[in-house]
Amino acid sequence: MQETIELKKRTNKQLQMPLILYSFFLGSIIIDVGGSFGLKYFVSICIFLYIAISALYSKLKISFSNIIIEVLLFLIAPLFYFFLSFGPFSVQPTMALRELTPFATWLLYPLLLQVVNRDKIISCFTTALFCGAVLIIVMFCIIYIFHMVNHSQYIHMINLIANKYRIGYLGYNPNVNIFIPNVYFRWTLLLIPAAVLLLNNGYLRLIIVISATLLTISTAAIIFMFLGLACVLFGSLLTKGILSKRYMKYVMLIGCLVLFISLLMFLCDYQVILTYIMSKLGRSSSSTMIKIGHIKTVLDLVFKDVVTFLFGMGLGSSFYSYGVNQMVSNIEVSHFNLIRQYGVLYSICFFSYVFMVFVSLLKTDRNGKLLSIGLAMLFLAAGTNPLLLSPVYFLVLIISRAYVVLYAKEKSYIKNYLYKYYV
């Protein structure tokens, strides 16, 4: 539409600095997701300074109605629970503060509202995760080569570095009785929405992202990635009654890729990997039993009194879990951990916010609909990893919320433009 093109040309000069800072933030998540190198915090400080200076000189154009919910839910409420934690709940301030730091990711939200061109937000995200997928494949090959030439000391060194700097889990995979490189970065689940969004952005990048996800041997990443792709592909079949030629090609491409990898695993006698992935889905698996134990313990704790039910046990609080039969402060079932720490009141507000963003995305354009599926799949996958209240999930949630606001702004501009010149 001509009006849309004019809007994008008019605002192109305003995009550069917010986009640059946003790109740097995405890069810092890929390189320094744990913050041990200080890169993530440095970029966050730069974003804060940019927002502060822009606000000081009245160049930060944000409607208060677009940030009021976020200010209440992700700034004021966490601060209230922070003081509640080391006050009445007697949690160590350092432990409570550690749980509070992920909320700083919301500094990205007002920055993204300055970008205006919402397609740039999506393209930067998919590009960053494509680079991340290439990194996974390269690390997988490096570790495998070290194993083939009998240099296990280098694999051990990679593992130590990854653990020390909280990058992820790299090295040997102790869960299978054959050698397979373990390459799991802490941001790996971001490949789920990236794969879904790449259904609208070319074949090669999608193949790379899917391949990288499979190489991680992460049950959550693989299952929810394919579930997300299936929702998009067959959602089109349900709504339109027919798969478009474009989506049909994707179905055939993904099917051939999975068939090829399955055949390769069979010929190389790696069927044990598939057995390992599928075993984690069973109720009798150790991983599943631990999660069930965590859930039962959390439910017992939450319902023990009214205060805990409404306000939780406090940020960073520890508890004895029957899942592992020891004291823990963080558990993989993030949704229940949210309820345990914050109580039912905040949890209902948080889940309602996610649902609101999801529904709003469905009312936008094609990219918005794809993003809604990616957001939903990541929300479900976060139930198997401690990622719900983390920069990883917040990043996609922020992108989704900003996309909805920018879409509404563009629609409003076009409507006003048409009214001004044609009425």
Side-chain angles (χ1 to χ4, degrees):
M1 184 180 288
Q2 185 64 31
E3 291 79 8
T4 305
I5 295 173
E6 290 180 7
L7 172 64
K8 291 180 179 179
K9 287 182 178 179
R10 177 184 174 187
T11 58
N12 187 52
K13 294 181 180 180
Q14 305 172 19
L15 301 179
Q16 299 306 317
M17 186 53 67
L19 268 180
I20 290 172
L21 290 173
Y22 170 52
S23 300
F24 280 149
F25 184 84
L26 291 172
S28 70
I29 289 293
I30 300 299
I31 298 172
D32 187 27
V33 64
S36 298
F37 298 121
L39 179 61
K40 184 176 70 173
Y41 301 118
F42 173 75
V43 175
S44 298
I45 292 172
C46 290
I47 292 173
F48 173 76
L49 290 175
Y50 174 81
I51 293 172
I53 293 172
S54 298
L56 184 64
Y57 288 95
S58 302
K59 294 183 178 181
L60 195 68
K61 298 179 180 180
I62 299 176
S63 172
F64 185 68
S65 61
N66 290 329
I67 63 171
I68 180 63
I69 298 176
E70 285 71 26
V71 169
L72 292 172
L73 194 59
F74 301 110
L75 177 61
I76 295 177
L79 286 175
F80 167 76
Y81 280 94
F82 171 70
F83 290 112
L84 191 67
S85 297
F86 72 83
F89 293 147
S90 301
V91 179
Q92 291 184 3
T94 54
M95 296 296 294
L97 184 61
R98 185 181 301 174
E99 295 296 323
L100 194 66
T101 52
F103 288 93
T105 310
W106 281 91
L107 284 171
L108 194 64
Y109 177 58
L111 181 76
L112 291 185
L113 293 185
Q114 308 308 302
V115 173
V116 180
N117 187 345
R118 62 186 186 279
D119 293 331
K120 291 286 186 179
I121 295 176
I122 299 299
S123 62
C124 286
F125 176 76
T126 53
T127 299
L129 269 298
F130 168 73
C131 294
V134 172
L135 177 62
I136 288 175
I137 294 172
V138 170
M139 286 303 304
F140 186 94
C141 293
I142 289 174
I143 294 173
Y144 194 83
I145 290 171
F146 282 149
H147 173 74
M148 294 297 292
V149 297
N150 294 319
H151 282 304
S152 58
Q153 70 273 20
Y154 294 125
I155 300 177
H156 181 65
M157 182 177 66
I158 291 172
N159 178 259
L160 291 177
I161 293 173
N163 290 334
K164 179 180 178 181
Y165 294 103
R166 302 180 68 244
I167 297 172
Y169 307 96
L170 310 178
Y172 288 101
N173 192 323
N175 298 308
V176 290
N177 54 14
I178 62 170
F179 174 77
I180 185 73
N182 191 37
V183 183
Y184 183 90
F185 291 92
R186 291 180 182 271
W187 48 260
T188 292
L189 291 186
L190 287 176
L191 293 174
I192 297 172
V196 174
L197 288 166
L198 285 171
L199 281 172
N200 202 29
N201 199 15
Y203 301 113
L204 179 60
R205 288 189 172 193
L206 179 61
I207 292 174
I208 296 296
V209 170
I210 291 176
S211 300
T213 306
L214 293 173
L215 290 179
T216 64
I217 319 180
S218 166
T219 304
I222 294 171
I223 295 297
F224 288 105
M225 180 193 67
F226 280 115
L227 183 59
L229 294 174
C231 286
V232 175
L233 297 174
F234 295 103
S236 173
L237 179 62
L238 292 175
T239 56
K240 298 179 181 179
I242 187 173
L243 277 174
S244 66
K245 289 183 179 180
R246 179 185 180 87
Y247 280 168
M248 184 61 76
K249 289 180 181 178
Y250 279 120
V251 171
M252 295 176 63
L253 178 67
I254 295 171
C256 290
L257 180 63
V258 173
L259 183 63
F260 171 75
I261 293 175
S262 300
L263 181 62
L264 189 64
M265 289 172 58
F266 178 78
L267 293 175
C268 296
D269 198 28
Y270 278 179
Q271 305 96 311
V272 66
I273 299 174
L274 182 60
T275 304
Y276 161 70
I277 294 173
M278 297 305 295
S279 68
K280 294 182 70 176
L281 300 175
R283 182 182 174 87
S284 60
S285 73
S286 59
S287 177
T288 302
M289 293 302 295
I290 289 173
K291 291 181 177 67
I292 292 174
H294 286 324
I295 293 171
K296 288 181 177 179
T297 307
V298 168
L299 291 177
D300 288 342
L301 291 170
V302 167
F303 287 104
K304 72 175 183 178
D305 58 66
V306 176
V307 174
T308 305
F309 179 77
L310 294 177
F311 299 103
M313 298 176 63
L315 281 64
S317 57
S318 300
F319 69 103
Y320 185 88
S321 173
Y322 296 117
V324 290
N325 290 316
Q326 64 183 34
M327 296 293 294
V328 294
S329 59
N330 208 0
I331 55 177
E332 288 183 317
V333 279
S334 297
H335 304 83
F336 288 91
N337 201 37
L338 172 66
I339 297 172
R340 182 190 68 81
Q341 291 190 94
Y342 290 84
V344 171
L345 291 179
Y346 184 82
S347 299
I348 290 175
C349 294
F350 182 88
F351 295 144
S352 299
Y353 179 85
V354 174
F355 182 73
M356 178 198 72
V357 174
F358 171 76
V359 172
S360 299
L361 281 171
L362 289 175
K363 299 177 182 178
T364 59
D365 54 12
R366 179 185 292 180
N367 267 338
K369 291 179 173 64
L370 293 177
L371 185 56
S372 70
I373 299 301
L375 177 67
M377 292 302 106
L378 188 58
F379 179 79
L380 296 175
T384 64
N385 292 265
L387 293 175
L388 192 62
L389 296 183
S390 74
V392 172
Y393 186 72
F394 279 165
L395 173 61
V396 179
L397 186 58
I398 292 166
I399 291 173
S400 301
R401 172 60 172 159
Y403 195 92
V404 169
V405 173
L406 294 177
Y407 178 84
K409 281 185 177 181
E410 183 172 317
K411 285 294 182 181
S412 177
Y413 175 83
I414 293 173
K415 182 179 178 180
N416 293 335
Y417 179 90
L418 294 173
Y419 181 81
K420 181 178 179 181
Y421 289 99
Y422 296 102
V423 177

